DNA sequence: CTTAATTTGTTATAATATAACGTTTGTTAT
DNA sequence: ATAACAAACGTTATATTATAACAAATTAAG
């Protein structure tokens, strides 16, 4: 009987729950400070948990910010197709869930004969709130 | 009489020429080692040049690799719309130049009322050479 | 139980990037 | 030309992000 549902380890659970509670992306060392009371003492423990959580699609890394955010789309086809909107002023980040966009990019083919397995897209601009001000 | 063509400073020229000569993306400290014979001694001198070169669209940052590559599309509308293909095996990086893709993404609108000014897209996969092996 | 794989704990260090300061150089307008 | 301003420079120190290396503990499977 194959275990389909990945079982998270203790550290993985701790790190995930911090990221889930956060309103926006968290940086690795900010996560570290937040979990030190729970027994996680070293950066590596955080980074290892992050690595696994990304791998199984529970969280994503916002590359332009070196920060980590929970996946809001039931695990994004295991992180193969990710898109985010990022406000350049207030830094609010939101995961873009648009099937058309996702399909368009997933089907996109390079002229050079390269077959893409994965993409990450980051949009930048001003969010509704910041536009008004 | 307004100076339309940006004139690069000495350090900016040095850093740009290193990046232009490179076959792929270069990391900041690798650039630093390469230019130490030319009088640039400190990381900040490199980072400042990189910042300006990005701003004027001469180079781009590959966010997932923390590396810098020359723009191959006559300065990419001043870096407002960038896309790259990245081989996960040999790490070769290529700038994707596709007008349809660029238009599609430039016109993409968020449901949340956010107007995007800029995007960066990174595709991952195996390049032609690496697929064969 | 045994073996292999994963996860953990720990120390140290590598790699990436910016703060703060004062100086120099380049541009613009008088 | 020179005063005023902005941009670029040089330098030192430090902050931030991430991984190497190794041993111990835990878990999953046969
Ligand atoms: Zn997601
Ligand atoms: Zn905002
Ligand atoms: Zn370009
Ligand atoms: Zn390749």
């Amino acid at each position: 009987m194959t275990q389909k549902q990945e079982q998270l380890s203790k550290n993985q659970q701790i790190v995930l729950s911090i990221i889930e509670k956060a309103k926006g992306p968290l940086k690795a060392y900010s996560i570290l400070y937040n979990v030190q009371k729970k027994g996680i003492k070293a950066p590596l423990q955080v980074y290892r948990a992050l690595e696994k959580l990304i791998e199984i699609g529970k969280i994503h890394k916002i590359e332009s910010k070196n920060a980590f955010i929970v996946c809001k789309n039931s695990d994004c086809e295991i992180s193969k197709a990710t898109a985010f909107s990022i406000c350049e002023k207030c830094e609010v980040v939101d995961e873009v869930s648009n099937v058309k966009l996702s399909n368009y990019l997933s089907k996109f083919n390079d002229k050079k004969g390269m077959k893409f397995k994965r993409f990450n897209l980051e949009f930048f601009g001003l969010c509704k709130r910041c536009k008004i001000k």
Side-chain angles (χ1 to χ4, degrees), chain A residues 50-93:
Chain A
L50 290 172
E51 184 181 32
K52 187 59 182 278
L53 292 168
I54 288 170
E55 197 183 305
I56 64 179
K58 291 285 183 195
I59 65 171
H60 302 300
K61 181 173 186 181
I62 309 297
E63 293 286 356
S64 62
K65 296 170 77 69
N66 297 316
F68 305 86
I69 193 169
V70 69
C71 176
K72 70 165 203 187
N73 308 330
S74 43
D75 309 347
C76 272
E77 320 168 41
I78 323 292
S79 307
K80 294 283 179 284
T82 50
F84 303 94
S85 70
I86 302 168
C87 177
E88 284 174 317
K89 191 168 181 198
C90 72
E91 310 237 289
V92 73
V93 174

Side-chain angles (χ1 to χ4, degrees), chain A residues 14-36 40 42-51 53-54 59-70 86 90-91 93 122:
Chain A
I14 293 170
V15 169
L16 178 57
S17 86
I18 295 286
I19 299 176
E20 282 174 338
K21 279 177 208 147
K23 287 171 190 167
L26 289 181
K27 304 215 150 208
Y29 277 70
S30 141
I31 293 169
L32 177 58
Y33 300 137
N34 274 289
V35 297
Q36 283 184 324
I40 293 181
L44 246 196
Q45 296 175 283
V46 172
Y47 280 104
R48 286 197 281 226
L50 290 172
E51 184 181 32
L53 292 168
I54 288 170
I59 65 171
H60 302 300
K61 181 173 186 181
I62 309 297
E63 293 286 356
S64 62
K65 296 170 77 69
N66 297 316
F68 305 86
I69 193 169
V70 69
I86 302 168
C90 72
E91 310 237 289
V93 174
E122 297 181 6

